Amino acid sequence: MVTAAIWPALAGYLFTYFNTKKTDERKAQIDRANDQVRLLYGPLLACISATRSAYAAMVRQHSPDGTTDGFVKAIREWPDGPEGNSYRHWMKSVLQPLNERAADIIINHLNLLESSNIDPVLLQFVAHVSSYRVILNSRNGNQLWRVHALTSSTAPSSGQQQFSLPTGIITRQEHNAIQIEYFTRELKSLQDSITEEVEVELERVAQSIPWLGPNTRVLDVGAGDGALIPHLQARGVLDIIAVDVCPAMMDALHKRIPSPSSTLGNQPCVRTWVGDIIDLPVYYAPFDAVFFNAVFCNVHDQRQALLRAALLTRPGGWIVISHPLGRTWLEEYSKGNTIIVPHRLPEKHELEKLIYDLPLELIYYRDSFSNYLAKMKVPEGYGFGENAIHLEGEVVVGFGRGSKQLGVPTANIAPAGLEEKLEQMPAGVYFGWAKLDAGIDAPEIDSQVHKMVMNIGKRPTFQNVDGGDPHAEVSVEVHIMHTFKAEDFHGKHLKVCVVGFIRPEIKFPGLLELLERINTDIGIAKSQLDTKTWLPFKEDSFLTT
């Protein structure tokens, strides 16, 4: 009887328990939903709405035509103009504080979300705000934060799935600061990602330049902890310069590949340099091969990186862009990391466009599912062979930039009458011999034949610096390697015998970079003209009669 009495009581207890549990679970779900609205979604919506309203007000007040496109265009064209200054003020005073508040709301209340249901856009927004924190803190109050684009300045819209910082929106230094912070934090996970399959692809990358060996010097850009270096060493390469902006990565490389006890002089070994390839001192060059392995999409400006690499590579040397996991993997990875990976691997036509005015030729291109490899070559020879080009004309007034701004005096030949020959000569830098009719009052040596380096083109760097006319006519500027008694050659007759081509005309970031390259061009011309191949052209009948 006792047992029979217990079952109804137990059944009643279990019914009450499960009923109460379901009621409690429903209440908990309701409470959680209420907390999500009260603590997360409600405040977040308020911040986003306020940010959008503030952004719209900024555009209305400061855009030249009242539109966002007009505002962005004005800042891109003149970053330090009134629109750029207004944007920086609003960003620091209004937009970024609102974004910071929204990011704090997300971080402090992630516990209200199931980890499997956290929308990636929330975490990407937090990363986006953190990147701007780096930017804003990297400049003092007396410096201008240069902004060329505004695509990431507001909270996410309903259709926005990721945040990116285009090259123009931050400086190279700010970009590198973000890279350093990220790769320092992710060092261990990146090391763990080097699988046996990746090692096989890295071996293929090292094998891509067949003649590498003990007598070659290699530059490994974005070397990280040195994943590619053992495969280069397996090829017999002894002299390797490993470059990376991240000090933690270089420290890891030292642990993986210890430096020799002495690295004095030119003893072949693995040397490291912490910094950007753009700033790599020229005394490390020239290189026989430059590798951008799994890093080309992380650089601030892909064209400038290739330009610098080309200028550091000897004639006949190679530049390799590679990724051991391929485009598909990288694009999937970069979906949530577009701040860290701001570029994509260039398709063939895109790469050809990147290098069209650089001293590079695309020799090989492979873009498969599992790997990416592009090989470019710096022109091996400078000369035209036996066919010199003869130009002559009156020295005319130029822009005065060679002497006044660069300290490299030039004599400009009037292009009139030379159109047919100039049409056959691509814009760029040439070398050869020159003879100036200096006049009877000048020392005899001034009228003799001297080495020269010559630029034919439209001076694209000066269009950047002083707003020069991009539609200006072609100029012929000759730097004669001789110190003349007179400083003014205007009206004098000048003959040049052009025997070789050094490089295409290049748009440099500024005058310092241009001057550095001009001095390199002069050095190349001097060394070439001293060889038995080009020295006989000093006696060319065109110059001596």
Side-chain angles (χ1 to χ4, degrees), residues 183-258:
F183 285 103
T184 299
R185 185 178 70 248
E186 299 295 326
L187 173 59
K188 182 62 168 61
S189 64
L190 291 169
Q191 290 175 322
D192 293 341
S193 69
I194 306 298
T195 63
E196 292 183 4
E197 291 79 7
V198 172
E199 294 286 5
V200 170
E201 294 300 333
L202 290 173
E203 181 180 0
R204 290 177 180 172
V205 171
Q207 294 283 349
S208 64
I209 307 299
W211 44 260
L212 291 182
N215 297 321
T216 53
R217 168 171 280 197
V218 171
L219 174 62
D220 186 3
V221 181
D225 71 338
L228 181 63
I229 290 177
H231 300 281
L232 293 171
Q233 291 176 322
R235 296 287 314 281
V237 180
L238 303 175
D239 195 357
I240 301 172
I241 306 298
V243 173
D244 202 291
V245 299
C246 181
M249 283 290 188
M250 292 285 90
D251 290 342
L253 187 151
H254 284 299
K255 294 176 182 177
R256 179 176 186 169
I257 307 171

Side-chain angles (χ1 to χ4, degrees), residues 160-171:
Q160 190 173 0
Q161 294 302 313
Q162 61 184 32
F163 296 89
S164 62
L165 292 177
T167 296
I169 200 167
I170 58 175
T171 67

Side-chain angles (χ1 to χ4, degrees), residues 2-244:
V2 174
T3 303
I6 288 176
W7 286 114
L10 181 59
Y13 168 77
L14 292 175
F15 176 81
T16 303
Y17 170 78
F18 285 113
N19 186 60
T20 303
K21 186 175 185 297
K22 289 182 179 180
T23 301
D24 290 343
E25 287 177 349
R26 286 195 295 269
K27 183 176 183 302
Q29 291 174 349
I30 293 172
D31 289 343
R32 185 182 185 86
N34 287 336
D35 286 343
Q36 287 176 337
V37 173
R38 179 172 60 88
L39 299 175
L40 178 60
Y41 294 123
L44 187 58
L45 178 60
C47 283
I48 292 174
S49 298
T51 301
R52 287 174 176 164
S53 297
Y55 187 83
M58 174 186 67
V59 171
R60 284 197 304 271
Q61 292 181 30
H62 301 289
S63 174
D65 60 2
T67 67
T68 299
D69 288 344
F71 192 45
V72 171
K73 181 180 179 182
I75 295 176
R76 283 175 172 164
E77 292 178 349
W78 189 12
D80 297 333
E83 292 82 7
N85 288 330
S86 297
Y87 174 71
R88 287 187 287 275
H89 173 73
W90 277 73
M91 191 67 203
K92 293 177 181 179
S93 303
V94 181
L95 299 176
Q96 182 65 5
L98 286 169
N99 284 341
E100 292 277 7
R101 174 59 180 151
D104 288 342
I105 291 170
I106 295 171
I107 293 171
N108 294 333
H109 298 96
L110 281 176
N111 62 303
L112 296 176
L113 299 172
E114 296 290 343
S115 60
S116 61
N117 293 325
I118 297 177
D119 194 320
V121 75
L122 296 177
L123 300 181
Q124 292 164 10
F125 175 73
V126 172
H128 161 79
V129 174
S130 298
S131 69
Y132 266 96
R133 189 181 303 125
V134 172
I135 296 169
L136 293 171
N137 290 337
S138 66
R139 298 292 185 110
N140 63 45
N142 295 325
Q143 291 177 306
L144 291 173
W145 179 44
R146 299 176 62 84
V147 179
H148 294 191
L150 305 176
T151 58
S152 301
S153 60
T154 61
S157 65
S158 58
Q160 190 173 0
Q161 294 302 313
Q162 61 184 32
F163 296 89
S164 62
L165 292 177
T167 296
I169 200 167
I170 58 175
T171 67
R172 182 166 58 89
Q173 291 73 20
E174 291 160 344
H175 169 83
N176 288 343
I178 295 171
Q179 297 286 316
I180 292 169
E181 190 277 332
Y182 176 83
F183 285 103
T184 299
R185 185 178 70 248
E186 299 295 326
L187 173 59
K188 182 62 168 61
S189 64
L190 291 169
Q191 290 175 322
D192 293 341
S193 69
I194 306 298
T195 63
E196 292 183 4
E197 291 79 7
V198 172
E199 294 286 5
V200 170
E201 294 300 333
L202 290 173
E203 181 180 0
R204 290 177 180 172
V205 171
Q207 294 283 349
S208 64
I209 307 299
W211 44 260
L212 291 182
N215 297 321
T216 53
R217 168 171 280 197
V218 171
L219 174 62
D220 186 3
V221 181
D225 71 338
L228 181 63
I229 290 177
H231 300 281
L232 293 171
Q233 291 176 322
R235 296 287 314 281
V237 180
L238 303 175
D239 195 357
I240 301 172
I241 306 298
V243 173
D244 202 291

Side-chain angles (χ1 to χ4, degrees), residues 357-372:
D357 61 347
L358 300 181
L360 291 171
E361 180 184 2
L362 181 59
I363 303 297
Y364 178 86
Y365 182 89
R366 183 181 72 230
D367 187 1
S368 66
F369 177 79
S370 60
N371 57 60
Y372 178 98

Side-chain angles (χ1 to χ4, degrees), residues 244-274:
D244 202 291
V245 299
C246 181
M249 283 290 188
M250 292 285 90
D251 290 342
L253 187 151
H254 284 299
K255 294 176 182 177
R256 179 176 186 169
I257 307 171
S259 300
S261 58
S262 173
T263 58
L264 297 177
N266 291 320
Q267 177 187 349
C269 62
V270 177
R271 294 179 174 84
T272 60
W273 188 82
V274 179

